[in-house]
Amino acid sequence: MAEAAPVLEVSGLSKRFGALIATDAVDLDIRPGEIHALIGPNGAGKSTLVAQIAGQLAQDAGEIRLAGQEISGLSVAARARAGLGRTFQVTSVALELSALGNAMLAVQARASGLWGFWRRAAADRRLIEPAMAALARFDLDGRAQVPAAALSHGERRQLELAMAAALAPRVLLLDEPMAGLGAGGVGPLSDILEGLKAETPMLLIEHDMDAVFRLADRISVLAEGRIVFAGSAAEVQASALVREIYLGTA
Amino acid sequence: MAEAAAEIAAPARRRLPEWAVNAAIAAALLAWPLLADAAGEPWWAGLAAKAAILALAGVGLNLALGYGGMVSLGHAAFFGIGGYVAAISADAAFSGAGVLGLPGSDRMLPIWLAAMALSALVALGIGAISLRTEGVYFIMITLAFAQMIYYLAISWPAYGGEDGMPIYLRNGFPGMDTNAPLDFALVCLGALAAALLLSWRLTEARFGRALICARMNPLRLATLGMEPFPVKLAAFVISAAITGLAGALYADLNGYVSPAMLGWHTSGEIIVFVILGGTGRLFGPVAGAVLYVWLETLLGGVTVHWQMGLGLVLLGVVLFGRGGLIGLLCGARRHG
Ligand SMILES: Nc1ncnc2c1ncn2[C@@H]1O[C@H](COP(=O)(O)OP(=O)(O)OP(=O)(O)O)[C@@H](O)[C@H]1O
Ligand SMILES: [Mg+2]
């Protein structure tokens, strides 16, 4: 069976910070319908890799293709419009806006008429309905009117995911979405991600190994900027190398 | 973030609804010149006009500073440009000589349009360059541009150089006797009301949501597919146009313009209105400008060092009441 063309394809990506090689000739791809987990010890370069794919950091070398198109020359916003969704390791929502206000901001980027100067956004059903749907998907519809500043840490993480999903991206880059959720939060979020992957493939950076082994179709292991192992969950669990450099230290 | 969190953690204090406070301020501002006129105190009606004009300048800056997080120390440039447009246009109409091939005008409406258009144009240039920097650099570069325009005005003898130039007859407005203090105050209040309406709609619209996000977290906005730069630039330009309109009215209020309108003091004062009243609050600059005018009038009568009193009030606001007067009355700001 022929493999579907990858949605996102990174090849030969490299980035140095002075003497530190943060990304070392990384090759990586994400195929339709899959969750591709990226694991590795603290400081391995996972967030730095995502920052380059998203356009927040410029790579020193290498290529990034989204749906076959080279996107390295594009700004963060242009990449987002091209279909790259992202959540941050440190939660990033607009704290002065309500949960709904944040979700509407995500919808307005995609909906017609980004430049509304007069019509009140809060009364615009073309924004409210899709935004509520995005919140509902992440179990936040009951908290729609709460200011983001008053949401719990876990709820803000869910909100950020809801915003990323509301963009209807081609691919999602999730930087430790489970971090700080607590035992009760990981299960439900895993269910949501599992339900989402058919329509939106994901790169999942995660330290929670149970979640990774449950969700990931493929796992790549990053250490000191290099991909040192790639395989299925079973292969990763069986690998002595991975145990030594990652699981052993965890 | 800590500020917002503390606001929520604090036990709920009795707060007034912001719309009610705004309505009260608006009603008081309208009553002020009417009562002054009825009491036969034209000077107090003139003071109301001054408060309205300064508030208007602040409403302009608030779009950039309060909603967009752009600390411009250059808004005197737009205030002064508005003033010079009014004076030069009136002068050209008076002498019949015209200016730049255009006939002058001694009517406020065309003058306002010209003042806003020129301020917006200059702001487009200043903003396009300044917005490539952030923080202290943005403050300094906007200051530098304003100082350039200040020195240009000083060294341009045709328009009075250091002495500035007079407006012999206050420019006219349809249906109003602008020389009467009450009529002029009402014209100023009308302009202020229009600017407040625009500011309210802008900040509640999609554009305003994007602007608020661009201030708090530009990377977040970009991650949603919207470029922060054009959003901020548009806000800066609209902000400058409103402040330019205030400048045109200020020239008519005083009957002359001078380079002082373009000086960094003026920029600082407009910032004071905004901070005193509450940054990013619709009526913040109105409350701030009114308080400023009263402090100036009451304390200024007692001592020439009244600005020291103002400085202490400002220090109190910055240290204890981050939300300014409106924040004190209504609590932390919320945007749906
Ligand atoms: N802007 C920067 N300048 C210099 N060094 C940086 C910069 N950003 C990251 N680094 C370094 O690059 C390395 C990779 O950091 P990165 O944040 O990508 O790691 P990570 O794999 O995401 O770690 P964690 O699991 O802790 O989130 C680290 O050594 C970090 O200190
Ligand atoms: Mg990281």
Side-chain angles (χ1 to χ4, degrees):
Chain A
M1 192 181 82
E3 275 182 352
V7 185
L8 181 74
E9 201 176 5
V10 168
S11 53
L13 204 69
S14 297
K15 178 80 189 171
R16 306 181 73 109
F17 295 117
L20 176 81
I21 301 176
T23 307
D24 192 357
V26 167
D27 297 329
L28 189 85
D29 65 8
I30 301 172
R31 301 183 200 128
E34 77 166 348
I35 293 182
H36 186 158
L38 182 67
I39 63 173
N42 293 116
K46 305 180 293 296
S47 296
T48 303
L49 179 62
V50 168
Q52 290 169 82
I53 298 173
Q56 185 188 351
L57 270 179
Q59 72 266 32
D60 297 335
E63 288 166 5
I64 305 165
R65 276 185 297 280
L66 182 66
Q69 299 287 316
E70 171 63 55
I71 57 169
S72 294
L74 302 181
S75 69
V76 173
R79 290 182 204 203
R81 289 195 297 275
L84 204 69
R86 176 195 186 187
T87 66
F88 293 82
Q89 183 168 356
V90 177
T91 314
S92 159
V93 296
L95 291 172
E96 275 176 27
L97 300 176
S98 65
L100 180 61
N102 273 281
M104 284 165 69
L105 203 52
V107 173
Q108 103 177 31
R110 183 167 53 100
S112 58
L114 162 67
W115 288 90
F117 285 97
W118 190 257
R119 201 186 153 123
R120 290 188 66 213
D124 190 340
R125 294 181 56 220
R126 287 171 308 171
L127 296 181
I128 295 171
E129 281 165 13
M132 282 304 290
L135 291 179
R137 181 162 212 173
F138 289 86
D139 294 330
L140 276 175
D141 41 338
R143 307 280 282 159
Q145 303 301 335
V146 179
L151 293 176
S152 73
H153 173 78
E155 287 170 331
R156 278 188 218 168
R157 302 236 73 150
Q158 283 164 270
L159 175 57
E160 207 184 338
L161 280 161
M163 292 165 76
L167 296 173
R170 291 173 191 274
V171 63
L172 266 173
L173 314 174
L174 308 179
D175 198 348
E176 302 195 24
M178 318 274 179
L181 278 193
V186 173
L189 185 55
S190 298
D191 294 341
I192 294 171
L193 295 185
E194 199 147 52
L196 190 62
K197 76 172 183 179
E199 71 191 71
T200 314
M202 287 166 242
L203 179 71
L204 174 67
I205 296 176
E206 193 44 67
H207 283 298
D208 185 321
M209 296 316 282
D210 292 335
V212 167
F213 290 140
R214 178 187 151 188
L215 290 171
D217 299 291
R218 284 192 291 157
I219 300 175
S220 292
V221 183
L222 196 70
E224 296 178 353
R226 283 175 162 280
I227 303 273
V228 292
F229 191 90
S232 67
E235 286 164 343
V236 167
Q237 276 167 306
S239 160
L241 173 70
V242 173
R243 198 167 308 128
E244 182 192 327
I245 63 153
Y246 184 70
L247 300 178
T249 64
Chain B
M1 174 172 171
E3 184 192 344
E7 192 65 46
I8 281 134
R13 266 172 44 200
R14 293 294 295 155
R15 302 289 199 194
L16 301 166
E18 190 165 340
W19 65 265
V21 170
N22 293 351
I25 294 173
L29 213 50
L30 183 60
W32 176 359
L34 291 172
L35 291 178
D37 189 68
E41 296 273 7
W43 186 84
W44 280 94
L47 196 65
K50 180 176 177 181
I53 292 167
L54 298 184
L56 182 60
V59 168
L61 179 64
N62 196 27
L63 272 179
L65 172 67
Y67 294 99
M70 294 169 268
V71 186
S72 163
L73 198 47
H75 263 51
F78 314 124
F79 194 65
I81 284 172
Y84 271 92
V85 165
I88 292 170
S89 169
D91 186 63
F94 185 72
S95 67
V99 55
L100 300 174
L102 295 166
S105 171
D106 55 5
R107 314 301 303 170
M108 283 187 184
L109 290 173
I111 287 175
W112 292 358
L113 274 181
M116 293 172 74
L118 189 60
S119 299
L121 197 67
V122 173
L124 191 64
I126 293 180
I129 296 169
S130 308
L131 281 170
R132 307 205 174 271
T133 66
E134 272 175 26
V136 167
Y137 298 99
F138 181 81
I139 298 176
M140 296 320 276
I141 197 164
T142 50
L143 170 65
F145 275 117
Q147 289 298 98
M148 275 166 51
I149 295 173
Y150 171 77
Y151 285 110
L152 184 71
I154 278 194
S155 58
W156 200 331
Y159 297 129
E162 277 189 65
D163 300 328
M165 60 190 292
I167 299 178
Y168 293 111
L169 263 179
R170 200 172 266 171
N171 294 300
F173 191 91
M176 293 291 211
D177 172 14
T178 52
N179 284 306
L182 175 63
D183 284 30
F184 183 62
L186 292 178
V187 167
C188 295
L189 284 170
L192 175 61
L196 283 168
L197 177 66
L198 177 70
S199 172
W200 174 57
R201 295 304 299 226
L202 275 181
T203 52
E204 295 275 315
R206 293 178 179 205
F207 172 73
R209 298 297 183 85
L211 181 63
I212 289 165
C213 189
R215 162 170 56 82
M216 288 192 288
N217 196 335
L219 181 57
R220 157 49 62 203
L221 191 68
T223 302
L224 295 177
M226 295 178 274
E227 303 281 358
F229 178 81
V231 174
K232 289 186 132 188
L233 184 59
F236 190 75
V237 167
I238 298 169
S239 157
I242 295 174
T243 300
L245 169 60
L249 281 167
Y250 197 69
D252 261 330
L253 172 75
N254 294 323
Y256 70 90
V257 289
S258 74
M261 269 181 89
L262 292 156
W264 64 270
H265 267 107
T266 305
S267 293
E269 276 171 19
I270 304 173
I271 291 180
V272 167
F273 310 148
V274 176
I275 294 179
L276 211 52
T279 51
R281 311 303 283 258
L282 182 61
F283 269 67
V286 183
V290 168
L291 182 66
Y292 182 92
V293 166
W294 283 356
L295 282 176
E296 185 184 36
T297 306
L298 300 178
L299 298 179
V302 180
T303 162
V304 291
H305 302 298
W306 74 274
Q307 295 227 352
M308 184 127 139
L310 175 71
L312 290 176
V313 171
L314 206 63
L315 204 63
V317 167
V318 172
L319 288 180
F320 302 112
R322 300 280 311 265
L325 274 177
I326 302 287
L328 211 62
L329 295 171
C330 312
R333 62 183 166 195
R334 298 253 182 291
H335 311 276

